[in-house]
Amino acid sequence: MKNKINEQAREINYNNINLKYYCEKIQKYEKSIDTYKKQNIKNNKKIKKYESKIKSQKNLINKNKKEILKIKNSNSWKITKPLRLFAKAFKNENNGKSE
């Protein structure tokens, strides 16, 4: 009977050691999870910030595209087209001579 009690005591002690070990592991995992959650929150904030910047830049691009289209459809742009072509040809001709 005494041997059986000693055996059960050793088993209980072994189980307590295992329990303590696994409790410590769980605490480490919980700390890691908390750290990852905090990082995730920071990353989500950064993502929202950059999404907002991207949206703002897209709006600016669209605004500029509309303005360019408006300019290209204007009479003054159409009238000065031959001058721009002449200036471009003159520039290309001068670039060829300087080399």
Side-chain angles (χ1 to χ4, degrees):
M1 181 102 172
K2 188 176 181 181
N3 286 338
K4 193 170 188 176
I5 292 173
N6 285 337
E7 186 179 318
Q8 287 177 345
R10 278 193 296 269
E11 190 175 325
I12 290 171
N13 189 34
Y14 176 77
N15 287 338
N16 283 338
I17 292 171
N18 279 339
L19 182 62
K20 184 178 178 183
Y21 170 77
Y22 287 114
C23 284
E24 288 172 359
K25 283 193 91 67
I26 288 171
Q27 287 176 345
K28 286 181 184 178
Y29 289 137
E30 286 174 341
K31 284 181 184 178
S32 293
I33 288 170
D34 287 342
T35 301
Y36 290 130
K37 282 181 181 179
K38 287 176 185 175
Q39 287 175 347
N40 193 29
I41 289 169
K42 286 180 185 177
N43 289 338
N44 285 339
K45 286 179 182 178
K46 285 182 182 179
I47 287 170
K48 286 182 181 183
K49 178 181 168 186
Y50 288 121
E51 283 175 341
S52 175
K53 284 183 178 184
I54 289 169
K55 185 178 179 181
S56 167
Q57 292 299 314
K58 283 182 179 181
N59 289 339
L60 185 60
I61 288 169
N62 287 333
K63 182 180 175 184
N64 288 337
K65 281 182 180 179
K66 287 177 184 178
E67 191 65 29
I68 289 169
L69 187 60
K70 191 177 181 182
I71 291 170
K72 285 186 174 183
N73 287 328
S74 71
N75 287 333
S76 61
W77 182 263
K78 292 174 185 175
I79 291 170
T80 60
K81 184 175 182 180
L83 293 173
R84 288 191 311 278
L85 292 174
F86 176 74
K88 184 177 179 182
F90 184 73
K91 183 179 177 183
N92 288 338
E93 184 178 304
N94 283 339
N95 283 343
K97 287 183 181 178
S98 64
E99 291 179 9

